[in-house]
Amino acid sequence: MEFEIRLSGSVEVRVGGRAGPLGPTKSRAALAALAWDAGRSVSVDSLVHRIWDDHPPATARETLHTHISRVRRALRTADPDAPTITSRTNSYVLHVDPDRVDLRAYTSCVEQARALKGSDDDAALQLLERADAHRYGEPLAGISGSWPDHLRATVGETALIAAMTRAELLMNAGRFTEAVPVLAPLAPEHPVDEALVGLLAVALHGGGRTAEATKLLQRTRQRVIRDIGLDGGRRLHRIQEGILAGAPAGALYGQDPRRRPTARPGRPVPDNLPRDVPWIGRREELRRLTSALCEGGGESGAVVTVEGMGGVGKSALAVHCGYEVADRYPDGRCFVRLGGHAADRTAGAPDRALTTLLRVLGPEGRELPQDTEELTAMWRSLARDRRMLVILDDAVCSEQVRQLLPGASPTSVVVTSRRRLTGLPGARSISLDVLPSDDAIALFERRLGAGGRSRAAEIADIVRICGHLPLAVEIAASRLLARSSWTAADLLRQLTAGAGGLDELRDGERTLEHVFALSYRALNAEQQLVFRRTSLHTGMEFGPHAVAALTGLSLAATERALEQLLTQNLLAEPRAHRFTLHDLLRTYARSLNDAEGTESRTAKERLARFYIRAADHADRLVHPYRSRTSLDTDDLITHPKIDDVPAAERWLATESGNLSNTLAWITRHGSERQLAISVHVLAGLLDMRGHLAGMEPLLHRAVDYWAGAEDGTAQARALLDLSVAHSHHSRYEEAISGAHRARELARTLRDSELESECVNQMCIPLWQTGQYGLAQSLQKQTLDSLLRTNNKLQIARSYNLLGITHLHLAEVDSARDCFNSSLSEFTEIRHERGIFSSLNNLGEVSTRTGDFKSAERAYREALSLASRRADRRELETLRMNLANALIGLGETAEALTLSHRSLEFFRAVGDRRREAIALNRIGRAHRAAGRSEQAIPLHVAALVLARRINAAGEVVDAAHDAALAHMDTGRATQALAYAKESCTLSMQIGAHAEAARASRTLSTLRATRRTAAR
């Protein structure tokens, strides 16, 4: 069903045309504040301001969190697949396509229409029609405040632009009469807007209503002069003179929307802009650039910088914008190449650029001064009362540009540069990234023209290899055009065969490698080293500590170099202190590394050591109970500051992809010892991410290595890691065997702490296979031993595991006592994972005793703690258990949502036992909602899966639930068979409560059969 967030009219979430409840006004304001910036991070301070203005309550942040929680619930209630809201450091993001927000879709359509005006007027009109379909009333109706007022004003400005654009399009087609009702309602709201009134007057004149047009012009011009002065109303005066002279409306309007502006008498109008090209994409960037140029209202010029890596399209954007805003600059447009990366570095000297500007302005008969200061003075004197647009292309630094600024003048300046120009006062900055995939494909196809010899999939692959960089896409298309016998498939083979990529991106005149080389040569030696080394990183995103490891430089020197690479747009910083390198720049940098031989290999080894040592430190904080194999020290590598559990979890989550890549590199290039250590270090992280079972071959290699090295302690730890993987893959007998082998080694070594950990791990697959009595006996022995120590963490874990065995043996009071003891111990040592694990188990006690409300409270409290952590397996288990309590409370809709989400995860990571539980939960929810027919296949699927992996407890539950569902639908014979299976197995494993439950069901079934037989 169609999902939409409406900000026009009342703020609503709509699915399939129906609105869902959002709660109080502030909650609707919170949704609006996030939705207006859909997909972008909005700081908490901004949200507080948008909701409460400058007078927030003392508890604004806490109250904001409450409103965000309400919005989250409303989104989930409206649609289980609704967009999510995630929290980042001091900010929130609503992850939704902006086009699903009505006003964002409205503004996007208007901007697209403006961009198409003059090239495809019919499509532009269709876009404006589509835009109107996204407006349903006053924005944020019923919500007051300065930000809602600002938003309403912004949308109002967009509406004005939309109306004027529609009128211009109609008038371009000679449809003046149709343009009048578009403009007329807006004139009273904007009585001194010369552009609006001028358009309306021309439309009236073109529709045969000349008298009305002249009255409107006269009335408006008198008001403009009264409000602004004698200089006001010049545009209206020119239109009025034209009407009185009998000029046709088309001539007055100048049907080319990008016509040359009217020259001021007696002045040359320079216009040396390069040729514009049919435009593709960049709608948002073009809007921002145009808006920045218009901010001064024409009275004071703007300075805007357009920055980005070489080949990203900075000059093209500036030139295209120059054509778009031509009518705002009646005194001309100048384009000056500063040559910031030219081979002839004198091209960038200020005096040469100033001379070029002055020659373009044409002070005929005057000899130009030679001194730079005198040239600057002459330039500023000539520009003082001129409204021009000057494009300074390829600037090398802020100082070079500063001398070329026109001073106090209505002239605007656009500066393009590969550097970030931070030293220009009052300048607005626009940073260009590569094109989105669709726009890059469109650019390639536009360059090829009609009748191309290409398939869509091949073009998509070509632009992907080009990294969506506009210059690379242009070069690739030019190369294909130059080879008349080639198809896109031939070009694609050329780009992917052999060295491929960068070497093949050439078209006879241009090479991408040359473009990159110009930027590289502008760096000093240290910056060049950092640039080269970043390309050796095994992941796509990295932090400064990793780069320091690659280079061998100090962290401070590395950060200085990274800052300069950012300034030069050779790196990107998608998140704070996280860097990335464009694919083609990475290829270029790697080609520079090829000449270094063993130095590159050494750098990669340092990087691998950095990641494994940092991960070891973080994982010791996150999983303090794991028995550890120590690593060798390495004083030459600087590690990030990770001093508490939240910081460790954040680092592991952030670096999880890089750690996986590091393990892959060590697997291919490292020694067996390095691999054995790395697998052990990363086992905790892999378990948290649900990927440990997939690492089984590497875990076996670690066990074999430590056995060959005759290191019994390390071998036992490797066996424990392997046992955990087997448990998660539902291979319980192997898990028990591995833990048993580890325990025997620990006993031989007389390592009681290690032996205790082996028993804990062994107990998990024992209770998963229904061997509750044995698991309880082992855990009691371990707890007795631990109580003679002061190891509160291990004591708490033992209480927790012992409570599980009591619970499955129907010893509810003993189970509750154990879980309360574990909760107390975990709370005392502030072990958050243990706290929510104990809460989860207390929730299980409440569920089994039928106190579903208490169970729900326990599960939700556990979830609130677990949601701050990175262990998805634990989180989904808690959601699945909460679903069971909700079924008992009759809240089946939320139970289904939670269970389906958990099922998807457990299937993805191969956890068959929990997959069976999730299937059974979904079946229970359907049965509780009166849909027993839908429940039957789910219970049977869960039962088949549980039998296959010998998960005895899950077989008992699924068989009993299958019996109930069959009984509901009148299938007594099948129900009886399933109930017998559940009863028999329950008695075999000592699950007394489950056996009693199955016996009651059997009695009911037999009584029903006897009644039916009479």
Side-chain angles (χ1 to χ4, degrees):
M1 290 188 290
E2 194 74 10
F3 177 90
E4 182 186 21
I5 296 175
R6 287 193 179 176
L7 303 185
S8 57
S10 179
V11 175
E12 294 176 340
V13 174
R14 301 182 72 87
V15 179
R18 298 179 61 186
L22 273 174
T25 300
K26 297 300 185 187
S27 295
R28 290 188 285 118
L31 173 60
L34 288 169
W36 182 246
D37 281 294
R40 297 191 290 253
S41 180
V42 186
S43 71
V44 168
D45 290 340
S46 293
L47 289 170
V48 168
H49 172 72
R50 291 179 181 185
I51 296 171
W52 288 285
D53 286 347
D54 295 325
H55 305 288
T59 58
R61 287 175 173 257
E62 293 78 4
T63 308
L64 172 64
H65 180 71
T66 300
H67 289 304
I68 297 293
S69 297
R70 285 186 181 136
V71 172
R72 282 175 170 145
R73 282 198 299 274
L75 290 171
R76 288 195 301 268
T77 301
D79 185 352
D81 298 321
T84 58
I85 299 172
T86 59
S87 57
R88 296 179 179 171
T89 305
N90 210 32
S91 65
Y92 289 92
V93 182
L94 173 59
H95 298 281
V96 64
D97 183 343
D99 285 343
R100 297 291 183 190
V101 180
D102 60 349
L103 290 184
R104 289 291 301 279
Y106 172 73
T107 57
S108 176
C109 287
V110 172
E111 289 160 7
Q112 291 178 54
R114 291 181 68 201
L116 284 175
K117 188 182 69 173
S119 59
D120 191 341
D121 285 4
D122 289 339
L125 279 169
Q126 289 174 9
L127 281 165
L128 290 172
E129 292 291 338
R130 194 187 310 167
D132 287 343
H134 290 294
R135 289 197 71 190
Y136 306 97
E138 179 190 27
L140 311 191
I143 301 177
S144 60
S146 61
W147 180 75
D149 288 344
H150 171 73
L151 178 61
R152 284 187 274 268
T154 300
V155 174
E157 287 296 318
T158 304
L160 175 62
I161 291 169
M164 292 178 67
T165 303
R166 187 194 300 272
E168 289 169 349
L169 292 166
L170 292 169
M171 292 161 70
N172 282 345
R175 297 156 61 183
F176 295 97
T177 301
E178 295 175 54
V180 172
V182 175
L183 297 169
L186 296 169
E189 300 174 22
H190 306 276
V192 292
D193 189 320
E194 293 185 54
L196 171 64
V197 173
L199 276 179
L200 178 55
V202 173
L204 287 167
H205 175 57
R209 299 160 65 178
T210 301
E212 290 179 56
T214 54
K215 287 180 181 178
L216 172 69
L217 288 167
Q218 186 175 8
R219 182 173 65 248
T220 305
R221 189 162 179 256
Q222 287 173 351
R223 182 166 181 173
V224 169
I225 292 172
R226 185 180 70 240
D227 292 351
I228 298 174
L230 292 175
D231 288 338
R234 289 179 179 177
R235 174 186 295 188
L236 302 182
H237 180 63
R238 287 196 298 270
I239 294 173
Q240 190 171 18
E241 284 184 334
I243 290 175
L244 293 174
L252 288 173
Y253 171 60
Q255 291 179 351
D256 178 4
R258 297 194 305 186
R259 64 199 179 281
R260 283 181 62 93
T262 303
R264 297 191 184 186
R267 284 184 176 177
V269 178
D271 193 350
N272 69 333
L273 288 193
R275 182 176 65 89
D276 195 12
V277 294
W279 195 244
I280 297 291
R282 299 284 194 214
R283 290 183 292 274
E284 174 62 17
E285 294 91 339
L286 185 60
R287 183 196 67 78
R288 289 173 56 203
L289 178 53
T290 304
S291 298
L293 289 174
C294 297
E295 276 187 356
E299 301 306 315
S300 59
V303 178
V304 189
T305 64
V306 181
E307 302 158 356
M309 65 182 286
V312 82
K314 305 177 293 294
S315 302
L317 176 68
V319 169
H320 181 69
C321 182
Y323 282 94
E324 288 289 305
V325 300
D327 58 336
R328 294 180 179 273
Y329 296 99
D331 294 316
R333 300 170 295 178
C334 299
F335 185 89
V336 180
R337 300 185 192 278
L338 298 184
H341 291 83
D344 175 16
R345 297 308 293 239
T346 62
D351 55 348
R352 177 174 290 194
L354 288 164
T355 299
T356 301
L357 277 169
L358 293 171
R359 294 290 185 209
V360 170
L361 285 177
E364 296 180 5
R366 294 178 60 181
E367 184 176 344
L368 297 181
Q370 301 299 311
D371 181 71
T372 301
E373 290 187 6
E374 292 180 6
L375 285 167
T376 301
M378 178 179 283
W379 153 236
R380 289 176 177 167
S381 174
L382 289 171
R384 183 166 293 117
D385 63 345
R386 281 179 162 90
R387 190 182 301 173
M388 297 185 297
L389 177 66
V390 176
I391 299 175
L392 302 175
D393 187 55
D394 198 15
V396 69
C397 63
S398 297
E399 183 59 34
Q400 178 195 35
V401 172
R402 196 176 292 114
Q403 298 181 67
L404 304 175
L405 296 180
S409 165
T411 290
S412 291
V413 179
V414 177
V415 187
T416 74
S417 179
R418 300 186 187 192
R419 295 176 58 94
R420 294 184 179 179
L421 304 178
T422 57
L424 299 178
R428 296 283 297 276
S429 175
I430 296 172
S431 181
L432 291 194
D433 200 350
V434 296
L435 290 170
S437 177
D438 289 347
D439 288 345
I441 290 170
L443 177 62
F444 188 89
E445 291 174 335
R446 176 70 67 86
R447 183 71 179 87
L448 287 184
R453 312 173 299 281
S454 312
R455 291 203 307 240
E458 293 163 348
I459 292 176
D461 283 340
I462 289 169
V463 300
R464 177 183 53 78
I465 291 169
C466 292
H468 304 130
L469 186 69
L471 179 59
V473 173
E474 284 270 2
I475 290 174
S478 296
R479 187 158 189 214
L480 181 55
L481 282 171
R483 305 293 289 269
S484 59
S485 62
W486 279 19
T487 65
D490 296 308
L491 176 61
L492 184 59
R493 278 191 291 272
Q494 199 72 17
L495 291 172
T496 53
L502 205 59
D503 291 338
E504 297 297 332
L505 287 172
R506 49 185 168 78
D507 63 0
E509 298 178 1
R510 300 172 294 180
T511 69
L512 202 60
E513 187 171 1
H514 173 69
V515 173
F516 292 160
L518 291 173
S519 295
Y520 179 71
R521 289 199 292 267
L523 305 174
N524 65 31
E526 197 168 76
Q527 294 159 8
Q528 288 179 345
L529 173 66
V530 171
F531 175 67
R532 295 196 307 272
R533 290 288 191 265
T534 55
S535 69
L536 299 178
H537 195 278
T538 53
M540 296 305 295
E541 191 180 289
F542 44 84
H545 291 86
V547 180
L550 279 166
T551 59
L553 298 172
S554 69
L555 181 63
T558 301
E559 289 178 328
R560 286 195 300 271
L562 288 170
E563 185 71 27
Q564 283 304 308
L565 293 178
L566 282 172
T567 298
Q568 297 278 8
N569 282 293
L570 290 171
L571 278 182
E573 190 177 20
R575 292 184 289 158
H577 310 297
R578 302 293 295 173
F579 305 96
T580 189
L581 198 61
H582 186 274
D583 287 348
L584 292 175
L585 280 171
R586 184 185 299 272
T587 301
Y588 172 67
R590 281 180 178 167
S591 72
L592 300 173
N593 279 307
D594 289 344
E596 297 185 335
T598 58
E599 292 182 29
S600 294
R601 163 77 188 207
T602 302
K604 292 177 183 178
E605 288 174 347
R606 281 198 307 267
L607 180 68
R609 291 201 307 275
F610 158 73
Y611 273 124
I612 296 303
R613 278 157 180 74
D616 180 62
H617 174 65
D619 197 65
R620 286 174 186 270
L621 290 169
V622 175
H623 300 113
Y625 51 82
R626 287 185 67 205
S627 183
R628 299 283 178 169
T629 296
S630 298
L631 277 64
D632 300 330
T633 58
D634 191 338
D635 296 332
L636 299 178
I637 294 178
T638 304
H639 295 108
K641 184 180 181 182
I642 305 171
D643 49 13
D644 56 28
V645 174
E649 288 185 328
R650 286 194 300 272
W651 188 89
L652 287 169
T654 299
E655 300 290 358
S656 60
N658 289 330
L659 292 170
S660 294
N661 289 337
T662 298
L663 182 57
W665 187 88
I666 291 172
T667 303
R668 293 191 304 270
H669 304 290
S671 67
E672 284 298 303
R673 177 180 174 81
Q674 283 177 300
L675 177 62
I677 290 173
S678 300
V679 171
H680 172 67
V681 167
L682 297 179
L685 172 65
L686 293 168
D687 190 24
M688 288 170 65
R689 310 294 286 187
H691 302 315
L692 184 60
M695 293 293 106
E696 186 178 328
L698 300 184
L699 293 166
H700 276 294
R701 283 173 63 176
V703 171
D704 292 344
Y705 170 76
W706 295 120
E710 299 182 351
D711 188 333
T713 303
Q715 184 185 355
R717 293 176 182 131
L719 284 165
L720 285 180
D721 294 337
L722 185 58
S723 177
V724 173
H726 284 150
S727 284
H728 289 334
H729 229 212
S730 306
R731 292 160 58 181
Y732 302 120
E733 295 305 321
E734 292 173 78
I736 294 167
S737 174
H740 179 72
R741 286 174 60 196
R743 186 188 183 197
E744 292 301 313
L745 284 169
R747 277 181 169 174
T748 302
L749 296 164
R750 297 182 179 179
D751 188 333
S752 59
E753 184 178 335
L754 179 57
E755 183 180 356
S756 173
E757 186 58 32
C758 294
V759 170
N760 285 341
Q761 174 52 37
M762 194 188 309
C763 286
I764 293 171
L766 283 173
W767 72 257
Q768 287 171 334
T769 54
Q771 301 178 63
Y772 307 129
L774 178 55
Q776 188 177 88
S777 174
L778 287 168
Q779 202 53 241
K780 281 181 176 179
Q781 294 173 30
T782 300
L783 181 58
D784 288 343
S785 176
L786 286 169
L787 287 172
R788 293 192 289 271
T789 72
N790 194 36
N791 192 333
K792 290 186 177 294
L793 174 61
Q794 296 295 3
I795 291 170
R797 291 183 70 223
S798 188
Y799 270 126
N800 216 18
L801 289 166
L802 181 59
I804 291 171
T805 65
H806 281 302
L807 185 62
H808 284 283
L809 290 169
E811 298 160 0
V812 175
D813 291 337
S814 297
R816 186 183 290 109
D817 290 343
C818 284
F819 295 144
N820 279 321
S821 295
S822 68
L823 179 60
S824 175
E825 297 285 352
F826 280 132
T827 303
E828 183 178 342
I829 60 176
R830 298 181 180 178
H831 190 267
E832 205 167 75
R833 175 175 273 107
I835 292 171
F836 68 67
S837 176
S838 300
L839 286 168
N840 171 72
N841 290 333
L842 284 167
E844 288 290 285
V845 172
S846 296
T847 298
R848 283 176 178 257
T849 57
D851 186 359
F852 298 115
K853 203 64 188 173
S854 295
E856 182 191 13
R857 283 196 298 270
Y859 290 135
R860 290 200 188 276
E861 186 179 351
L863 268 168
S864 69
L865 293 172
S867 62
R868 301 201 294 261
R869 309 179 68 86
D871 194 331
R872 179 79 185 276
R873 187 186 301 277
E874 291 174 339
L875 196 61
E876 294 305 333
T877 300
L878 283 168
R879 288 192 176 114
M880 197 163 58
N881 293 342
L882 172 60
N884 203 32
L886 293 172
I887 291 167
L889 292 168
E891 298 177 22
T892 55
E894 186 179 358
L896 280 169
T897 299
L898 292 168
S899 298
H900 276 295
R901 183 173 179 176
S902 299
L903 175 63
E904 183 180 345
F905 172 76
F906 291 127
R907 276 181 172 164
V909 300
D911 191 330
R912 300 296 175 236
R913 174 177 163 271
R914 288 184 173 89
E915 180 185 345
I917 295 172
L919 283 166
N920 208 46
R921 293 281 196 274
I922 296 170
R924 281 184 185 175
H926 280 300
R927 181 172 174 269
R931 298 187 293 268
S932 293
E933 285 287 354
Q934 289 178 246
I936 288 174
L938 292 156
H939 291 314
V940 172
L943 179 58
V944 169
L945 188 53
R947 285 174 184 156
R948 186 187 308 151
I949 61 175
N950 191 30
E954 281 61 56
V955 172
V956 166
D957 283 344
H960 185 259
D961 286 326
L964 295 177
H966 280 87
M967 185 168 63
D968 290 345
T969 57
R971 299 177 175 92
T973 301
Q974 296 96 319
L976 193 62
Y978 286 124
K980 284 180 178 177
E981 180 179 5
S982 180
C983 187
T984 301
L985 184 56
S986 297
M987 290 188 289
Q988 287 176 359
I989 64 176
H992 306 301
E994 286 78 3
R997 178 186 65 185
S999 293
R1000 290 192 296 272
T1001 301
L1002 280 169
S1003 297
T1004 302
L1005 281 165
R1006 286 166 180 155
T1008 303
R1009 294 188 72 177
R1010 283 195 299 271
T1011 301
R1014 288 177 185 156

